[in-house]
């Protein structure tokens, strides 16, 4: 078999994806402001891999996840899943495909109905999509609880009887119920204690191998993303500013923003010291983006050109792209 034929396929491909919102400038104003939550994303995810998406709150990473799951309608662009253009599908076609696209939320508690028992929460999508009935559903739910490390003795409990980590396991079980191909993990460990975070990350990794799952793993810091992702996209104000394999991104970050994010990742070796890069200023107002490179007000390398001209996303090496006029040589 040739190398070409065993290379993993692209399960998902996103082309020129945009989500813009318009907002009135004032109650009586006729002027509108455009907020570019997501502004021209191009990326793919191969079958069985994990693509990490990282960036500060408000960078558009969760909006990207919601667009992929068809929970939001894009302003422009295409989303291809298993060689089908989701953005060109009718409602019925989207409903059918959506089963294979699931999400795990940051706060599972708010997505678990507090009045339902666990067996009903996990069975709900199975019933809605008529995938099983009666005793078969109960057997499947018990099996899913075992798979996520909880066990069938929890079937009759309510969400408030579980710890944060256990609730996240319930969220994972519910996502798995639909036998998805792609799961968007939207900050699934950010709200958990550090010790529990690694348990959930290990569970996600184990499930990925067992069920050939593909993940988009969204986080605001690079710590958990490093552990679970094969490739990482760094987002800033609606755009991808750098995308590379995990190893390459950590060894040779080329964008000043990536460097700043990396400097915040703790290192295990106490003998090694690294200097934390503190970015100046806050994230600019998305309704009033800076001209030129949108990172320039916070960038230590900003030049006159950066204040005038937005950089294009370009490949600096095979599989390593960056949007910066002066990519770093690290
Ligand atoms: S283009 Fe200029 S301002 Fe933007 S990241 Fe690169 S050096 Fe900094």
């Amino acid at each position: 078999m040739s190398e070409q034929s065993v290379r993993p396929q692209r399960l998902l491909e996103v082309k020129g994806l945009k989500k813009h919102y318009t907002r009135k400038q004032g109650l009586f104003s006729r002027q509108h402001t455009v907020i570019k939550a997501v502004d021209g994303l191009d990326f793919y995810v191969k079958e069985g891999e994990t693509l990490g998406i990282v960036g500060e709150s408000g960078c558009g990473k969760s909006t990207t996840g919601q667009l992929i799951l068809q929970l939001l309608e894009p302003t422009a662009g295409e989303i291809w899943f298993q060689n089908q253009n989701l953005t060109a599908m009718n409602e019925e076609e989207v409903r059918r495909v959506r089963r294979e696209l699931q999400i795990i939320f940051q706060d599972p508690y708010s997505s678990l109905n507090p009045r339902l028992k666990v067996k009903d929460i996990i069975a709900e999508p199975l019933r809605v999509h008529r995938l099983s009935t009666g005793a078969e559903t109960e057997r499947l739910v018990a099996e899913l609880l075992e798979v996520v490390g909880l066990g069938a003795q929890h079937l009759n409990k309510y969400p408030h009887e579980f710890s944060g980590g256990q609730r996240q396991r319930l969220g994972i079980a519910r996502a798995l119920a639909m036998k998805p191909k792609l799961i968007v993990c939207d900050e699934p460990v950010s709200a958990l204690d550090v010790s529990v975070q690694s348990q959930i990350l290990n569970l996600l990794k184990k499930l990925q191998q067992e069920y050939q799952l593909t993940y988009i793993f969204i986080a605001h810091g690079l710590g958990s993303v490093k552990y679970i992702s094969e490739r990482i996209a760094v987002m800033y104000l609606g755009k991808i500013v750098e995308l590379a394999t995990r190893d390459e991104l950590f060894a040779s970050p080329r964008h000043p923003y990536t460097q700043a994010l990396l400097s915040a990742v703790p290192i295990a070796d106490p003998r090694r010291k690294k200097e934390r890069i503190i970015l100046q200023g806050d994230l600019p107002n998305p309704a009033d983006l800076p001209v030129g490179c949108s990172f320039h007000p916070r960038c230590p390398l900003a030049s006159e050109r950066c204040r005038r001209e937005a950089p294009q996303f370009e490949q600096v090496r095979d599989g390593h792209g960056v949007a910066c006029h002066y990519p770093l040589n690290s």
Side-chain angles (χ1 to χ4, degrees), residues 255-256 293 295-296 299 301-302 306 311 324-326:
H255 195 283
C293 173
F295 187 58
H296 87 248
C299 181
L301 306 178
C306 306
C324 175
H325 293 310
Y326 311 106

Side-chain angles (χ1 to χ4, degrees), residues 103-118 121 157-172 174 186-188 191-192:
I103 185 163
I104 300 169
F105 294 99
Q106 175 182 2
D107 175 12
Y109 195 51
S110 60
S111 66
L112 302 173
N113 187 333
R115 287 191 293 271
L116 289 185
K117 289 180 177 173
V118 159
I121 290 172
K157 288 187 180 170
Y158 290 92
H160 73 266
E161 297 178 76
F162 293 87
S163 67
Q166 287 176 321
R167 284 201 287 263
Q168 196 51 286
R169 287 173 192 267
L170 293 178
I172 295 170
R174 194 176 51 178
D186 191 0
E187 307 222 28
L192 303 175

Side-chain angles (χ1 to χ4, degrees), residues 51-242:
L51 175 74
I53 301 185
V54 70
E56 287 163 285
S57 301
C59 72
K61 54 193 191 303
S62 290
T63 305
T64 304
Q66 289 171 24
L67 288 165
I68 289 166
L69 293 166
Q70 304 292 290
L71 301 173
L72 290 174
E73 204 177 317
T75 309
E78 294 178 356
I79 300 165
W80 288 77
F81 175 68
Q82 300 190 111
N83 298 320
Q84 303 170 86
N85 184 359
L86 301 187
T87 37
M89 284 183 175
N90 63 33
E91 249 176 63
E92 176 48 36
E93 289 168 329
V94 167
R95 221 173 64 83
R96 186 174 39 78
V97 175
R98 208 188 267 148
R99 285 181 215 162
E100 299 186 286
L101 302 162
Q102 292 294 313
I103 185 163
I104 300 169
F105 294 99
Q106 175 182 2
D107 175 12
Y109 195 51
S110 60
S111 66
L112 302 173
N113 187 333
R115 287 191 293 271
L116 289 185
K117 289 180 177 173
V118 159
K119 64 178 181 186
D120 296 315
I121 290 172
I122 298 174
E124 198 178 20
L126 294 168
R127 291 190 187 121
V128 168
H129 289 278
R130 298 195 185 96
L131 296 180
S132 68
T133 52
E136 170 68 359
T137 304
E138 193 139 330
R139 189 191 63 74
L140 279 174
V141 172
E143 198 179 301
L144 283 163
L145 286 177
E146 293 290 347
V147 163
V148 298
L150 284 174
Q153 70 273 23
H154 297 288
L155 277 169
N156 288 308
K157 288 187 180 170
Y158 290 92
H160 73 266
E161 297 178 76
F162 293 87
S163 67
Q166 287 176 321
R167 284 201 287 263
Q168 196 51 286
R169 287 173 192 267
L170 293 178
I172 295 170
R174 194 176 51 178
L176 285 180
M178 302 304 292
K179 300 202 173 120
K181 291 228 160 57
L182 177 87
I183 301 183
V184 174
C185 308
D186 191 0
E187 307 222 28
V189 297
S190 311
L192 303 175
D193 291 343
V194 176
S195 58
V196 183
Q197 285 184 7
S198 53
Q199 291 170 16
I200 297 295
L201 291 173
N202 285 333
L203 174 65
L204 287 171
K205 274 192 155 189
K206 179 173 142 283
L207 295 172
Q208 182 169 43
Q209 282 181 355
E210 277 178 31
Y211 298 100
Q212 290 83 49
L213 296 167
T214 303
Y215 294 142
I216 291 180
F217 190 95
I218 295 169
H220 57 261
L222 276 163
S224 54
V225 168
K226 180 184 184 187
Y227 183 67
I228 199 160
S229 311
E230 276 97 34
R231 290 183 304 129
I232 299 174
V234 179
M235 279 189 78
Y236 189 77
L237 287 173
K239 292 182 190 288
I240 292 177
V241 294
E242 185 155 14

